[in-house]
Amino acid sequence: GQNIDQPTEMTATEGAIVQINCTYQTSGFNGLFWYQQHAGEAPTFLSYNVLDGLEEKGRFSSFLSRSKGYSYLLLKELQMKDSASYLCAVIDSNYQLIWGAGTKLIIKP
Amino acid sequence: IAGITQAPTSQILAAGRRMTLRCTQDMRHNAMYWYRQDLGLGLRLIHYSNTAGTTGKGEVPDGYSVSRANTDDFPLTLASAVPSQTSVYFCASSDSHTDTQYFGPGTRLTVL
């Protein structure tokens, strides 16, 4: 079966750095997305990786290793507004998007 | 309108009733999707449409139907609602089925 694993919940301190991991076992791979979802709101796009390596976008970076079936989202200089769930999703060989259950990130002052 | 809209925002429905959730996008995206999101389970695909006039079944299609008569609209119908269909429903769209998906604000549905 297809599976995407993320930690259920993480806690970090304002101003710090946090890394949210995502491991996947899917039938093929055609790209990986990270989305942010604030409580009671819709998911919004953060990043897309299709090749190995690090993609940096301001305070957020996303890393991909296809050989390891692994990605992480790195959030720097954490702000209270970063408290949200972070969803990892993989495009499989049938071009279907497989979603992880999400990681709830709690930021403490 | 700009982006993707859904209606209603929330609804309480008696079991056995028929209900249509509406979704409209003005981005001229080819592909559209319906998801349900339940606590601890993440987003699950109900139905999708890669282009106007075509639809396909996702991971959890039973009890739901869709139509795609034009590019902009993608309604989701529950023919006879059951309590297990209580969920938050998100509509999304993308240029193609491999592109970034943009989500509507969601519909919170409670079936009693």
Side-chain angles (χ1 to χ4, degrees):
Chain A
Q2 310 212 83
N3 195 48
I4 295 181
D5 289 316
Q6 305 179 234
T8 302
E9 187 174 296
M10 299 181 70
T11 302
T13 304
E14 189 176 17
I17 299 172
V18 70
Q19 177 176 310
I20 302 174
N21 296 325
C22 170
T23 57
Y24 60 89
Q25 301 89 37
T26 57
S27 58
F29 177 86
N30 284 294
L32 184 145
F33 290 94
W34 283 97
Y35 280 77
Q36 180 189 59
Q37 185 177 24
H38 285 101
E41 298 183 8
T44 57
F45 169 75
L46 283 178
S47 68
Y48 172 69
N49 294 70
V50 66
L51 300 176
D52 291 349
L54 188 68
E55 295 278 344
E56 297 186 78
K57 194 183 294 185
R59 294 189 298 115
F60 292 9
S61 302
S62 56
F63 172 83
L64 174 67
S65 169
R66 288 172 296 171
S67 63
K68 295 182 179 178
Y70 168 70
S71 173
Y72 67 73
L73 182 69
L74 191 70
L75 292 73
K76 303 176 183 177
E77 301 169 17
L78 285 170
Q79 301 176 11
M80 297 303 293
K81 67 178 182 180
D82 297 330
S83 291
S85 289
Y86 292 86
L87 314 180
C88 174
V90 171
I91 304 174
D92 70 8
S93 58
N94 294 319
Y95 295 98
Q96 297 286 337
L97 194 58
I98 311 300
W99 292 85
T103 298
K104 182 178 181 180
L105 178 64
I106 300 168
I107 309 296
K108 295 187 174 180
Chain B
I1 53 174
I4 185 164
T5 60
Q6 294 183 235
T9 302
S10 65
Q11 182 76 44
I12 299 174
L13 190 66
R17 296 296 295 270
R18 181 184 179 88
M19 175 74 191
T20 296
L21 308 186
R22 300 184 298 279
C23 175
T24 300
Q25 54 104 358
D26 67 354
M27 297 177 282
R28 307 304 294 171
H29 283 167
N30 288 310
M32 296 187 75
Y33 315 85
W34 274 105
Y35 292 94
R36 59 178 290 171
Q37 188 174 39
D38 303 290
L39 199 62
L41 293 180
L43 289 162
R44 292 184 291 169
L45 183 65
I46 305 170
H47 285 286
Y48 65 93
S49 168
N50 286 333
T51 189
T54 69
T55 62
K57 293 182 179 180
E59 180 186 356
V60 289
D62 293 344
Y64 306 94
S65 64
V66 292
S67 61
R68 187 89 184 276
N70 57 60
T71 297
D72 298 345
D73 301 300
F74 191 43
L76 176 74
T77 297
L78 289 68
S80 179
V82 296
S84 62
Q85 292 177 313
T86 294
S87 187
V88 179
Y89 290 85
F90 287 105
C91 179
S93 71
S94 62
D95 257 346
S96 78
H97 58 277
T98 59
D99 287 322
T100 301
Q101 294 185 16
Y102 296 91
F103 286 78
T107 294
R108 184 173 297 274
L109 182 68
T110 303
V111 182
L112 301 176

